[in-house]
Amino acid sequence: MMATNAEKLVDESTASEEWDPKIIVFCCNWCSYAGADLAGVSRLQMPTDFLVIRTMCSARVDPEFVLRAFAKGADGVLVAGCHPADCHYIGGNYRTRRRIAILRVLLEQYGFDPDRLRLEWISASEGEKFQKTIREFTERIKEIGPNPLKED
Amino acid sequence: MNSFEPKIIGFLCNWCSYAGADLAGVSRFQYSPNIRVIRVMCSTRISPNLVLEVFKSGADGVIVGGCHIGDCHYMTGNYYTDKRMKLTKELVELAGIEPERLALEWISASEGEKFARVVTEFVDRIRHLGPIPTKNDQKLMKRLEAAAEASKLFRLRLLSGKELRLTGKGNVYGEMIEAEKMDEILDSAVNDEYDRSLILELTKNNALSVKELASEIGKSAEATLGHVATLRARNLLSICSIDGFTPRYKAIRLGGA
Amino acid sequence: MKEDIRIGVFVCHCGTNIGGFVDVPSVVEYSRTLPGVIYATGNLYTCAEDGLASIRDAIKEHHLNRVIVASCTPRTHAPLFQGVCEEAGLNKYLFTFVNIREHCSWVHMKEGPKATEKAKDLVRMGVARAQLLEPKEEARIDVEPKALVIGGGISGMVAATSIANHGFPVYLVEKEADFGGFVRNLNNLYLGGKDATEMLKPIVDQVTSNKNIIKCLKSKVAGVDGFIGNYQVALDVDGKEVKDKVGVIVLATGADEYVPEGLFGYDLYENVVTLTEFEILCKRKTLPKISSIAFIQCVGSRGHVKSYCSRICCNVAIKNALNIAENYQNILGKDERGAVVEKVGVDMKAPEEIAERRRRRRGRRDREGGEEEAEAPAPSEGIEIAIFNRDIMSYGLEHELNYNKAREKHVRFVRYSPANPPKVYTENGKLVVDYWHDTLKLQRKMNVDMIVLSTPLVSPPSAPGISKLLKVPLGQDGFFLEAHVKLRPVDFATDGIFVCGTAKGPADITECVFQAQAAASRAAIPLARGYVQAEALTAIVDADICTGCGTCIEVCPYGALRKNMDGVAEVIVAACKGCGCCGATCPEGAIDLSHYTDSQLLAEAKAALQEAIQ
Amino acid sequence: MATTTIGSVMVVGGGISGVQTALDLADSGFKVYLVEKRASIGGTMAQLDKTFPTNDCSMCIMAPKLVAAGRHHNIELITNTDLEEIDGVPGDFRVTLKQKTFRVDKSKCTGCGVCAEKCPVETSDEYNEGMRKRKAIFVMYPQAVPLVYCIDRKACIGCGVCAEECRAKAVVYDKPDEALEIRVGAIILSPGFDEFDARIKKEYGYGVYRNVVTSIEFERMLSATGPYFGVVMRPSDGEIPKKVAFIQCVGSRDEKVGNPYCSSVCCMYAIKEAIIAGEHTKGLEPHIFFMDVRAVGKEFEDYRERAEKEYGVKMHRGTRVASVEEDPVTKNLFVRYGGNDQIETEEFDLVVLSVGMRPAADAEKLSRRLDFKLNKYGFCETDIYDPLCTSRSGIFVSGSFASPKDIPTTVAEASGAAAKAGSLLSDARNTLVTVKEYPVEIDVSGQEPRVGVFVCHCGINIGGVVKVPSVVEYARTLSGVVYAEENLYTCSADTQERIKETIKKHNLNRVVVASCTPRTHEPLFQNTIRESGLNPYLFEMANIRDQCSWIHMHEEEKATKKSKDLVRMAVAKARLLEPLKKSQLPVNHSALVIGGGLSGMIAALDVASQGFDVHIVERTSRLGGNLAKLHHKEGSREPKVFMDELIDIIRGYPNITVHLDTNITDVTGFVGNFKVKITDGEVEVGAIIVATGAVGYEPTEYLYGQDDRVMTSLELEEKLSRREFKGKTVVMIQCVGSRNEKVPYCSRICCSTAMMNAIELKKQHPTSEVYVFHRDIRTYGFREDLYREAGQLGVNFIRIPEASMPQLESSEGRLKIIARDVVLNEDLVIWPDTVVLSVGVRPNKDNEELAKMLKVPLSKDRYFLEAHMKLRPVDFATEGIFLAGMAHWPKFVDEAIAQASGAAARAVTIISKDTLDTEGIIAAVNEDICDGCGICEPVCEYKAIQIVKISDSQEKLKAIVNEGLCKGCGACVAGCPSGAMEQKGYKTSQVIAMIDTALERGDS
């Protein structure tokens, strides 16, 4: 049911030029949030269409959060955590990796483009990577188009 | 070449040199008709950027006329003019344009004859130099644009604005900075900022490597790399591609993504 | 929202002055082709009544909102045309002047076609500029009818009295407990020989009895903020804070005498004194008996320590030489032997310091062989007086007569070269001046009982502080620097602050009084008028761009910029003269000059550089 | 000793060593003055890109420690400061310090950086080794602590712009240097080292050839925050180098330059740099030219192996580089090196000189001022049995100031030095520390949310882009917000007062600050609201600077809109915030040391001497452990003498209880409250130190046990010490039982032991022939002296190939050794009368059992695994349990002692406290929902969750969270299928509220 609706909506919305995607970014406190801060300290410029929610560890990102975000109309969700083995909480990010992989499969089954959900490892010193990730992801989301669940 | 009629812009201060020009008229001193005068209240109003913009617009020469030192209607204005034109000349020269195309002349209200002579001589000089080379040379135009951009930079404008105080009245520590030392500081800042501005100009549309940039700006690759590092730190330049083992850079356009 | 640009162009023939060389009709024709030009016409004389009428009429008829006159020079005729515009209801800053006479027809008389081309170019530039003009208003700023005079010496007292007599309240701020300043040290005055105390008394009385003068003794200026007409001042009056608003400030903070430490035995020998110390000895009748005395001029001035000539010392030395030669008994102390000078300068709080200086001197001399018996005093006729000098600066009318008189009285004037100054030492307990006699080409010695060193007036240590407080400049010698040495001698560049007396350099009493009265009358102008008209053409700060680097504040000669509460620069409209220095300096490019904006100037230049449109 | 003991310590040097010492001391009840000569703490480690062998980002792991040190209320940072004079006795020193002026008022500087942005003067940036420019007003690096800008007076031209631009009015040009006097009970020196000046090695052309760089410069080149933003480039032309040569031992193992010692770390950092460089650039070919590769630390040998096998790092073993020459046109470099018998030349794009460590430049000045001795190389002199003590009583040392060493050793020593100072000053513990008094917490339960929003301009950092007034205006419209205002700097001291007043005036019960990053500023604001009686967790931050105004500088509209979004989200969460309580757990003031060997005894002594009860559990019948097997005299005494002294002290120590012939049978509880069952009963302790040691390898190869003439190195040592050894031709075989397929690691100590044996043998029998078959000689640090001495005594060193060990046969009663000599490239046959096997060290067999009881992990080599290889070398991830000695990794006596002291100090940070605060943000179970499925249990890395039976019912299970163990990562919450698990402070409802508001249709 969802899928059919989705197809229709995608067609309509890609026609409209003026569209700023809404992207939710979950950053773990110790690496990715710090990396995002470093991007700021280094004045790295990037699109404005994302909003960061800080969690202590990327492993805290409940699948429910991701699904909720999509249900509420987010066009993309980015989860950013410490590099494997760098996790402040020893192994949290391995769990994140598995969860996100499963969620992507799930999204696909619901007719969502799995690329709407992305996982990136961004360390505290990778301000530039944060910038690059945001830029690329925003571009990708723009390509995919608005969230099919979004109502007019 | 004989048919070349230089286009000269003259910025004259209201109180001395404009009056001097009036006197030339009243006294019917004849001079070349190539000059177009723009009146300003004081020569101190002329910023380096304004002069460079005028060159960009195609002027073959620019004359700035002010009161003699010590006679400025606004007390100290022309001291600053002097410093600003020195800086402008440096930038003009860096851009590869003959510095003689910019003249700073002190002309009092009673020097009508001097005004006529200055204009005629200047026009002759420019006639001899020919049209401003940026007209037909895109590369030089880029350099001029870089100079104009450099002249807008906070760093250069600040140093230039502080020069008189630092060498004349002393700095915040109550020390006087020697004129030569100040010149050195300014020179190196002007050279660096000009090179950096040029790098940004050159990479506006093309992705270039450090080596390519070095040969374009005529500096060593090592020094160029230093500028590239600074520009990257300022977030004005970024690596756009790495071809094999050669990183190429492009200027970052302001305005987000 | 924005109204359309409607430009009227009036091209003047100026009889044949322009029309004889420039093809005026074609310029008019060309003008019509320019963007925004609604109306163009030629006038025989635009400045004649019919020409002016045509402007007035055209403004009304064609609803012009910009007027361009192409004729002579704005320096003489702009007010006229601006007036016409105003009469027709157009803001005068929407008027543009194009000079095709002085800058074109007259100077390109033999190049008719080129002159016409140039005239067209100039009109085109004028049109480009006119399109960007905006109406301006000149602000009127009320003046607080009160004055502040800083310094209660002769200059300050005269200035205060003078302003008070205009009917304005004046704060007279003096740091000592009494008015009078440096003059209190002096014995008598040259040119007339009047007793200094006598001279001073009526002036002080005038001050103390003047109801308009608010007398602040033992006082300091603690803070000054504001601009002409509106200076908020904070005074420390004998420990109490007084705050008020004044319209103008006169600076008369005076000068100190240079203390010649290390020069000509000043620190070594008790009988080597400065000129002012000598005056004090005379004034207190404590001069020791002497049979010979030498004055050494230019001690510390003219390149020695200070580069300037102190202006008054030659005449003071001559006066004192004449006092000795003519009137020795009157100035001589009653005691057998001379006394120690106790005070110097106007700083009455320094006796301990001076006593200490004296003790040091005595100590050194003691080590050199103890006190010598003084010789019996010689009769006054026989007092040998010499003035060692580089040049005698007895300028003006009467000083030269005194100089002649001194020579008649056998005062010896010995010239020395700065390369080979006299040496001072003791021999057998007696002071010796050892000097090169240039006429005789011989090294000579002169035994003297006393040596007087003529040292320059110097800017007091308080000057830099006051300079900072009032944001007025000091010259390189440390004295206050007037706006223009010739034409604005008692003004500062900053409107509403004036300077007089020795605060701006050595001067004698007469000169101080001149200056004080001049400063007072300059200061009285805004007070009397009650308002000041601000320039309409001022710098404008874009507060969004300004980051508060403060560079503009430093370069402005008028103190016309300051930081506001947000830490960014703002223009004090009342003080701004519109020179544009701040704008060309501003590192952020946040300052523009109204009516001469960057975009206006650049538009003019670009219009000039356009390939001529046929 | 002083009549009064001062309960404070001065730590000299703010590198990782000093920071660790300061934290440990401050956590165990002492006031600490951390004196650093530079403007910020951080030292060399702050300059590094990654760290070996885990490739952790250096700054990432260090920054939290720096911040902790900067914020600790018992640590006073005194930076930019030189030590002038000291006076006094141990327990009471008076120290005079000279603090060079910052020319910036530290109490006012907010670190916003506008001054540096506007400063017109560029000068060389030391932090980036001169490869980038900085301004004349600067901080060393963006994460610097304290984050206070400082004017470089040499570069500054005094234009005055920084003072004008500073809205906080923090710049004070004429601020003078300040003389400070402090009174401390002890002094710890950790001023670190200096790099060797590579210019001295003229033949390598450093300073002449642009593409020859030092290793520290290369670190900066690798770093993402470095001059080239992490892309390695040739300084000559900005091209990425393809072939990079690392030249080892530049200024190490080099008598000519006066540094005969080995710098211990260069081999590993070169391998790390080679690996990282290779990761940065595909196709990069790193070559390392070295004599011996000294990969002696934990998992180092694996790292080396991976470098070669996985990353293709080319190792030129046994080479010395003769010279480097430059091609003047291409600026490429020709490396001439002597390898096997001949000189070869190879062309490279970039040459990295692995520079060694030199004593700190001011070591001598320091030694004169403080009156302690330096050793012959200019490092601080220490004794092998007293590795943390200087020659002056009351002054201790840690880190590379005493000898070249790596980060983990340094950190362990840093903790150790803290133990030493703590022992000296135990009487004065808690006398100078301050405990902050807060007002009683206001009970906000049941109150409607009353949110106050404070929006910061941050000078112009935010206000220059985001329209702050409109954000404030918008905030006022949000539900629950009763108050909103803007501030120039919300973090300034006066604004804190304002916030407090506002909370009172408007009865706020939630506070939102929209400004910079919570990572640095949240604790400040939490403290502020706590001071006005609010629970600190009723605070939320919106990061509108680092993550908004700074990254959208040219999009004012959008940035303003985004700021509003962020504020809306923060308010949404704030409305749902609940006060969190940190529970306080009582602490048992005693410790248990498992193992009575050297490490165990030292650890026990250092805990006991600080005034706490200690139990030593030793499973054998005697104390001493492996120490009893050592005989060679090193340092002041023979090992036996030292051991006997130590055992006597332990025996006589009143608060040490020794349990011999005792085993651990069960461990329960958690930090502060462990219950440990031992053979003869149970002990209750607050902390546990694992010092169970290791065992020597019992060889099965080389006829050991079959032929008397084959013995282990320890047996030789024993014989030599009794002067019983008579061998004439002795062959020593290195790496027996190490560095092979079964046991891939290097046992660290065998090379040096072999050297000592060889030297002793040559001394006893000068005519004897000694052959040492080795792959590398790994006599790191000052033990390089042994290698050299052995060589000088005529010991023959024969380098054998990596892969083929010597063959030993017994033919006709004679021993015959056949081995390949890689230098001569031929087989060598020797007929020795004795063969000595340098056997490696093996972990204890029962480590698994103990690890299981303690719930701590083992490494892949079956040694105990510490919490973090670099920065928590003596901690376990499980709090309250610590690690020392060979249970961690093979090590020498001095290293074991230092580490044991370190473990003691760490344990004391726990048991010196009366209570321990649990984390506020932890997991909590809703028992009504939890059905005990157990999914969360294995998810928890900290073993903080247990599935237990609900007491009365036999069937029903539930999860419980141990508050003492939970770190609050939230992994269990996300994993819980029933929603029973919650994370306090990040409750699902709170995060969902943020998500929902984020996706609302914004403002207007």
Side-chain angles (χ1 to χ4, degrees), chain C residues 235 399 453:
Chain C
L235 306 176
H399 291 305
L453 305 178

Side-chain angles (χ1 to χ4, degrees), chain D residues 282-584:
Chain D
K282 282 206 175 64
L284 185 128
E285 281 180 38
H287 292 239
I288 303 181
F289 294 90
F290 64 96
M291 296 190 279
D292 306 278
V293 62
R294 296 193 162 164
V296 295
K298 196 166 186 171
E299 305 200 350
F300 289 5
E301 188 66 19
D302 290 336
Y303 194 65
R304 180 199 61 74
E305 186 87 4
R306 281 211 313 277
E308 276 186 87
K309 302 245 162 80
E310 281 175 38
Y311 295 92
V313 178
K314 182 125 198 272
M315 301 283 207
H316 297 263
R317 170 174 279 106
T319 52
R320 256 283 193 198
V321 173
S323 68
V324 176
E325 269 153 40
E326 185 189 59
D327 179 330
V329 180
T330 62
K331 309 279 177 196
N332 287 349
L333 300 154
F334 295 100
V335 174
R336 281 161 55 79
Y337 62 98
N340 305 338
D341 214 12
Q342 69 211 48
I343 296 284
E344 289 175 51
T345 302
E346 197 164 346
E347 189 175 352
F348 288 93
D349 298 313
L350 187 76
V351 167
V352 181
L353 303 181
S354 295
V355 289
M357 290 181 172
R358 301 253 315 122
D362 52 358
E364 200 172 318
K365 194 169 80 189
L366 214 53
S367 86
R368 259 184 282 115
R369 289 203 174 146
L370 269 61
D371 193 24
F372 64 90
K373 283 191 195 135
L374 298 181
N375 69 18
K376 59 182 168 177
Y377 301 122
F379 288 89
C380 179
E381 186 180 281
T382 55
D383 187 55
I384 186 169
Y385 303 113
D386 249 340
L388 304 170
C389 298
T390 68
S391 61
R392 180 164 176 185
S393 161
I395 302 184
F396 307 101
V397 59
S398 82
S400 52
F401 188 56
S403 66
K405 55 179 68 83
D406 61 10
I407 293 168
T409 318
T410 296
V411 174
E413 281 191 6
S415 294
K420 292 293 168 198
S423 303
L424 178 67
L425 307 177
S426 61
D427 293 347
R429 186 188 308 278
N430 290 329
T431 55
L432 290 178
V433 293
T434 52
V435 180
K436 207 157 172 187
E437 294 290 338
Y438 291 103
V440 179
E441 247 179 55
I442 300 166
D443 182 11
V444 301
S445 57
Q447 291 182 5
E448 278 297 301
R450 295 180 61 82
V451 184
V453 180
F454 298 82
V455 187
C456 182
H457 280 264
C458 196
I460 57 170
N461 282 310
I462 295 170
V465 178
V466 171
K467 293 190 194 76
V468 172
S470 92
V471 177
V472 173
E473 210 43 60
Y474 176 71
R476 290 200 181 109
T477 67
L478 295 171
S479 140
V481 174
V482 295
Y483 181 80
E485 69 167 33
E486 54 194 285
N487 311 109
L488 182 60
Y489 291 106
T490 308
C491 61
S492 68
D494 56 323
T495 311
Q496 301 318 298
E497 290 310 308
R498 252 195 86 72
I499 293 177
K500 279 189 252 175
E501 282 164 25
T502 312
I503 289 172
K504 292 211 172 77
K505 201 167 146 202
H506 296 272
N507 286 323
L508 303 182
N509 55 21
R510 309 283 190 283
V511 172
V512 170
V513 169
S515 60
C516 49
T517 171
R519 291 176 47 257
T520 55
H521 281 68
E522 193 171 56
L524 170 79
F525 296 122
Q526 286 186 322
N527 187 47
T528 300
I529 72 164
R530 181 65 194 88
E531 280 172 3
S532 62
L534 284 183
N535 181 285
Y537 292 96
L538 297 173
F539 174 81
E540 183 62 22
M541 234 170 142
N543 187 343
I544 60 168
R545 185 186 74 177
D546 303 47
Q547 298 187 8
C548 187
S549 70
W550 275 351
I551 57 174
H552 313 305
M553 296 175 84
H554 311 291
E555 295 173 283
E556 299 189 2
E557 287 302 326
K558 287 187 169 182
T560 304
K561 183 177 173 299
K562 178 163 175 175
S563 298
K564 290 178 184 172
D565 288 349
L566 290 167
V567 169
R568 187 176 66 240
M569 288 160 69
V571 169
K573 180 169 178 192
R575 280 200 300 264
L576 300 175
L577 286 175
E578 293 162 1
L580 301 186
K581 280 267 175 291
K582 291 190 171 189
S583 353
Q584 295 194 319

Side-chain angles (χ1 to χ4, degrees), chain C residues 546-551 553-554 563 566-568 588, chain D residues 114 118 159-161 163-167 169 460 464:
Chain C
C546 175
T547 58
C549 74
T551 315
I553 298 170
E554 273 170 37
K563 279 201 194 176
D566 297 333
V568 299
E588 300 281 14
Chain D
V114 169
K118 297 296 179 190
C159 75
V161 71
E164 294 283 351
E165 291 281 358
C166 180
R167 293 295 195 279
K169 306 217 179 313
I460 57 170

Side-chain angles (χ1 to χ4, degrees), chain C residues 184-185 257 259 266 270 272-274 276-288 335 337-359 361-362 450:
Chain C
R184 282 176 301 163
N185 298 308
E257 186 190 47
V259 180
Y266 178 77
E270 186 171 339
V272 179
V273 298
T274 68
T276 306
E277 287 168 351
F278 183 78
E279 290 270 355
I280 294 170
L281 289 173
C282 292
K283 189 183 185 107
R284 302 209 173 150
K285 311 279 187 247
T286 49
L287 188 72
D335 303 346
R337 271 207 34 117
V340 172
V341 177
E342 282 163 5
K343 296 210 185 302
V344 69
V346 292
D347 186 2
M348 296 305 203
K349 282 176 219 137
E352 296 82 9
E353 192 193 318
I354 287 157
E356 170 60 26
R357 211 157 80 205
R358 286 278 157 190
R359 268 199 293 283
R361 284 157 70 175
R362 222 173 287 137
M450 179 167 256

Side-chain angles (χ1 to χ4, degrees), chain A residues 63-138:
Chain A
E64 186 188 350
F65 296 170
V66 176
L67 296 174
R68 176 81 172 205
F70 283 123
K72 288 281 171 179
D75 301 301
V77 174
L78 174 69
V79 179
C82 308
H83 282 269
D86 278 1
C87 177
H88 185 83
Y89 298 107
I90 305 173
N93 49 4
Y94 293 118
R95 294 179 208 292
T96 313
R97 183 158 65 188
R98 286 200 291 274
R99 284 179 191 147
I100 298 299
I102 294 166
L103 270 170
R104 279 171 63 97
V105 174
L106 207 63
L107 285 176
E108 204 164 7
Q109 287 175 354
Y110 284 156
F112 273 78
D113 189 323
D115 282 3
R116 288 190 192 277
L117 174 61
R118 179 160 169 185
L119 174 66
E120 266 310 327
W121 307 133
I122 295 166
S123 83
S125 62
E126 294 180 324
E128 254 188 313
K129 181 165 184 191
F130 185 81
Q131 175 199 35
K132 194 169 147 253
T133 305
I134 291 293
R135 284 188 167 172
E136 285 175 4
F137 190 55
T138 310

Side-chain angles (χ1 to χ4, degrees), chain D residues 693-695 745 841-847 861-863 886:
Chain D
V695 293
Y745 61 86
V841 181
R842 291 289 162 88
N844 281 336
K845 290 221 168 54
D846 55 359
N847 278 357
D861 299 315
R862 316 317 289 165
Y863 289 94
M886 299 233 281

